[in-house]
Amino acid sequence: QKEVEQNSGPLSVPEGAIASLNCTYSDRGSQSFFWYRQYSGKSPELIMSIYSNGDKEDGRFTAQLNKASQYVSLLIRDSQPSDSATYLCAVNEPGANNLFFGTGTRLTVIP
Amino acid sequence: EPEVTQTPSHQVTQMGQEVILRCVPISNHLYFYWYRQILGQKVEFLVSFYNNEISEKSEIFDDQFSVERPDGSNFTLKIRSTKLEDSAMYFCASIQNTDGYTFGSGTRLTVV
């Protein structure tokens, strides 16, 4: 059974702080890693994709991948109240395009 | 920005009835998916569809489920005889290549 594990939270950070979200995955063959944001009652929205070890930055978001440790993280700098949502880590099934999702981490940014 | 469109947004059905959930993927996308999310739980893969046939399916996607692309634009998920445990949000998604999915806004299915 392929597993994607996330701390369910809730994670609370003050406005302007850095939020750090973590994810581990079980299948070493996975090659594609994604972070989605999901507001309550809404569909997942892609924030970042990462495929190679190291860091990838996009605006206030940085994704980090360490395949040896089977670990993916998402940093959100200068957190805003509008960032309050559940953040889903998703990992591809090796050899296929379908994704396995974690249960998500609920982030609350306190004004 | 191109969108994946799903209808209806909310469907209430009686147990044992058939339902069809509809999706219009982004026009130049090649791969289509259905996922579901039971309230409070993780997003789960159901089925992927490429070149007019199923390419992958999960254990959830049993004989009660079927997918179809009847006319080159719509992509449908049919549940033949709904059960209470089929109540969930159903998300359609599409991609052009290996990049991240674009999800539709979802259909909330409630089986009573």
Side-chain angles (χ1 to χ4, degrees):
Chain A
Q1 177 72 18
K2 298 173 178 58
E3 297 288 341
V4 179
E5 300 286 345
Q6 295 181 255
N7 186 330
S8 62
L11 173 67
S12 295
V13 300
E15 184 174 354
I18 295 175
S20 177
L21 306 163
N22 304 313
C23 171
T24 59
Y25 59 96
S26 63
D27 195 325
R28 286 195 172 275
S30 294
Q31 296 294 321
S32 304
F33 308 88
F34 304 91
W35 283 99
Y36 286 85
R37 177 175 62 199
Q38 187 176 31
Y39 294 110
S40 181
K42 302 295 185 183
S43 61
E45 174 192 4
L46 180 67
I47 299 175
M48 295 279 290
S49 59
I50 186 165
Y51 307 100
S52 305
N53 281 329
D55 295 0
K56 179 181 177 183
E57 187 174 317
D58 184 0
R60 296 187 295 112
F61 299 97
T62 299
Q64 299 173 317
L65 173 62
N66 183 326
K67 291 184 181 179
S69 300
Q70 295 172 244
Y71 176 87
V72 192
S73 67
L74 180 71
L75 299 178
I76 307 174
R77 288 181 299 281
D78 188 23
S79 296
Q80 302 296 309
S82 57
D83 294 327
S84 298
T86 297
Y87 288 80
L88 309 178
C89 174
V91 174
N92 80 297
E93 176 164 10
N97 281 335
N98 51 288
L99 299 180
F100 292 99
F101 283 81
T103 52
T105 298
R106 188 154 53 93
L107 172 68
T108 301
V109 180
I110 303 164
Chain B
E1 176 114 11
E3 288 186 344
V4 175
T5 305
Q6 288 187 244
T7 55
S9 57
H10 191 188
Q11 174 93 44
V12 181
T13 188
Q14 288 202 324
M15 192 168 54
Q17 295 296 305
E18 174 184 287
V19 294
I20 298 176
L21 309 183
R22 291 183 166 80
C23 169
V24 179
I26 294 172
S27 60
N28 62 345
H29 284 190
L30 302 176
Y31 299 84
F32 314 118
Y33 303 83
W34 284 101
Y35 284 76
R36 78 172 186 190
Q37 187 176 30
I38 296 170
L39 186 64
Q41 298 187 23
K42 65 175 69 175
V43 177
E44 299 175 292
F45 168 69
L46 294 178
V47 65
S48 61
F49 194 84
Y50 171 73
N51 202 24
N52 285 321
E53 60 183 22
I54 291 173
S55 52
E56 304 283 342
K57 61 182 180 179
S58 71
E59 292 176 354
I60 302 168
F61 194 88
D62 61 21
D63 292 344
Q64 293 298 312
F65 292 88
S66 62
V67 290
E68 198 175 38
R69 193 145 194 255
D71 56 16
S73 61
N74 290 286
F75 179 50
T76 63
L77 174 70
K78 181 192 291 186
I79 310 174
R80 287 189 184 82
S81 178
T82 49
K83 303 187 278 287
L84 294 176
E85 54 264 39
D86 293 328
S87 295
M89 281 290 287
Y90 287 81
F91 295 112
C92 176
S94 69
I95 59 172
Q96 189 176 33
N97 45 40
T98 57
D99 219 345
Y101 297 170
T102 301
F103 281 94
S105 56
T107 293
R108 179 172 298 284
L109 176 65
T110 303
V111 182
V112 297

